[in-house]
Every structure is written in structure tokens, then in C-alpha cells.
Amino acid sequence: MPKDTAVYTHGHHESVLRSHTWRTAANSAAYLLDSLRPHMRILDIGCGPGTITADLAELVPDGHVTGVDRASGVLEQARATAAARGLANVDFAVGDVHALEYPDDTFCVVHAHQVLQHVGDPVQALREMHRVTRPGGFIAVRDADYAAMTWYPASEGLDDWLDLYRRVARANGGEPDAGRRLRSWALRAGLEDVRATSGTWTFATPQERAWWSGLWADRTLASAYADRVTGGDHATAEQLAAVSRAWREWGRHEDGWFSVLHGEILCRKDA
């Protein structure tokens, strides 16, 4: 089976995990929750620090959740998250969505949040997700769409950020505008019964603006993303510093508003 060749753009710097640990099943997988049943066995791909994974485990108390991620280091945080919540029906393993090490028809639900935008072959990833899903089960995928992100007030610095991020993500082998492509990728993978929806995150209160702008300002300067920007000659350290300042400036606007659009697909595998 093929292996992923894309580079994960963000890495796992504290500024990245600050965002990832905020994610819950309620704010990041609401489109899936009505389909869950207490007995289900779930595979959570790209689980990161495990906050969504732990929520899913609480929602299937008679079932089991397995979280997988390519980065072994972040799984220690995921295990700690599950342990702190007293969850006994969850485990974690290193895994690659292009070549999952599970038999056919293993899971009732295979879920991936913000994963396909970072992989080298999203169609193959969806084929693998479909393969390990039981007949009658669900493949659930949600990804942001960077080109559809919008904010107020206008900021040339954030325009520069968006252009730069999209170029770097594509140079790393990913597709930052994945949200709009999920249904197309699913159909190319041979999936049927594809329900396509969308959802948003919105940051508008003073606390939300400070948190969102702060994590991006820090990520722009200190994360693996920053190293990949300068190492790939996409921008200079001075240009990154200007983008970071633009994030903090936007966050100080009392009328500031930022919205992140996500594409979502929920696919039922034929029984």
C-alpha cells in the first residue's frame, strides 16, 4: 500500500496544540453526532492531542474508540487526555491513513478532522477509510477551506498570511482548500451515499479574537510552519514578523470578526 509523502505543515508546537486541544466533538464533529450509537467502534484518524477522540469515547460508552496519528509524540498527550477523563474504552496508535493496519470492515465509524488537507493522496485515504468501515457504517470527514476564510476589518497583513499559507501548504504536498473538494474526492474514491454539508468556527468576542489571533501570531514565528516558510524560501523572517504583527493588530479591533468555513461529508457504506 502507498504511504503518505506530504509534510504536515503545522507541526506540534504549543501554539498549534493550543488550537487542537480546543476542539471538541460539539464544535468540530456536530454533523456526525446524530449517527452515533452507544455500541459503536470508531476509528479517529489524525487524532492529535485526543480531545475529539475522548469526546467520541464518552458518546459510545458500550463501544470503543481508537485514535491514530502519524506523530507518535502527540499520542502521549492524547493518552493523558483520555486518562484524565477516566476513559477505559479508548486506545491510541501510530498510523497512516493511506495504509491503515486494520482488516476490512472493522469499524462502525471512521472519522477524520482536518486531515485530508495535509495528505498526499486524499482519494487513496478515503478508499482506505472506506475499506476499514463496516457495511452500514459511516465515513465522516471535515476539513477547513482556507480560500473561503473571511474576516473584518480588512487587513493587508492577513491577506499576505493567507497567500503565504496556501503556497506553503501546497509546496508541502497538501491542499489547503480541501473543504470544497471533499465531495469530489469521495466520489473519485468510489464512495456512494455522500451527504455534503458545511460548518463554521467564528471568532468575534474579545476573548475569542485574542485567542485566535494570538495562536496564529505565535505559530507564524515559532512553529514548524515558520521553519518551512523560511527553509523553503517562501518568505523571509522579516516578512513573517510582519504577518505576526498583523495578526495581533487584527485581534485588537473591537469590531473584529473571523470565520473559518469547513466542508463536511458523511458517507454511509453499503450494507
Side-chain angles (χ1 to χ4, degrees):
M1 298 291 289
K3 295 287 186 179
D4 193 10
T5 56
V7 175
Y8 180 48
T9 297
H10 298 289
H12 293 93
H13 184 263
E14 181 277 330
S15 60
V16 177
L17 295 178
R18 201 184 312 164
S19 171
H20 291 182
T21 55
W22 166 83
R23 298 172 183 174
T24 65
N27 68 29
S28 299
Y31 71 103
L32 166 64
L33 302 188
D34 286 346
S35 299
L36 298 183
R37 300 295 180 266
H39 68 278
M40 283 181 161
R41 185 176 182 186
I42 299 174
L43 178 65
D44 187 24
I45 295 171
C47 65
T51 51
I52 297 176
T53 319
D55 283 353
L56 294 174
E58 290 181 341
L59 293 168
V60 292
D62 302 322
H64 189 88
V65 180
T66 296
V68 298
D69 202 283
R70 288 180 58 197
S72 58
V74 77
L75 294 179
E76 292 306 311
Q77 186 168 344
R79 293 184 181 102
T81 297
R85 291 166 66 166
L87 296 169
N89 64 331
V90 60
D91 71 306
F92 298 93
V94 175
D96 176 4
V97 68
H98 295 81
L100 295 167
E101 296 180 0
Y102 301 100
D104 296 357
D105 306 336
T106 298
F107 299 96
C108 305
V109 176
V110 179
H111 169 262
H113 184 266
Q114 312 294 6
V115 172
L116 295 193
Q117 64 183 281
H118 297 296
V119 306
D121 190 343
V123 174
Q124 170 60 22
L126 283 163
R127 291 191 185 108
E128 272 292 273
M129 294 173 70
H130 181 268
R131 179 185 66 78
V132 301
T133 301
R134 294 176 180 172
F138 296 94
I139 301 97
V141 179
R142 188 177 196 249
D143 264 279
D145 193 299
Y146 276 77
M149 293 184 187
T150 188
W151 56 84
Y152 183 87
S155 166
E156 290 186 5
L158 292 194
D159 290 341
D160 291 342
W161 159 76
L162 182 57
D163 173 71
L164 177 62
Y165 179 84
R166 292 171 74 218
R167 286 191 285 112
V168 172
R170 288 188 172 126
N172 287 340
E175 175 46 70
D177 304 338
R180 69 188 64 191
R181 292 171 164 81
L182 294 183
R183 184 174 184 275
S184 174
W185 288 340
L187 294 176
R188 287 167 55 192
L191 276 62
E192 300 177 351
D193 193 8
V194 179
R195 180 184 176 217
T197 57
S198 62
T200 60
W201 293 332
T202 301
F203 306 101
T205 69
Q207 296 78 13
E208 290 166 347
R209 290 196 311 273
W211 178 78
W212 184 244
S213 63
L215 68 87
W216 270 107
D218 292 343
R219 188 182 304 188
T220 298
L221 294 180
S223 69
Y225 166 70
D227 296 336
R228 285 165 187 145
V229 169
T230 55
D233 293 326
H234 300 288
T236 65
E238 291 76 15
Q239 289 170 318
L240 281 180
V243 168
S244 179
R245 289 193 298 271
W247 268 112
R248 295 197 187 279
E249 180 180 351
W250 172 83
R252 290 191 289 268
H253 283 280
E254 65 179 15
D255 58 351
W257 176 92
F258 198 108
S259 186
V260 179
L261 178 70
H262 302 84
E264 303 161 343
I265 54 171
L266 187 64
C267 313
R268 191 178 187 100
K269 184 172 179 177
D270 289 343

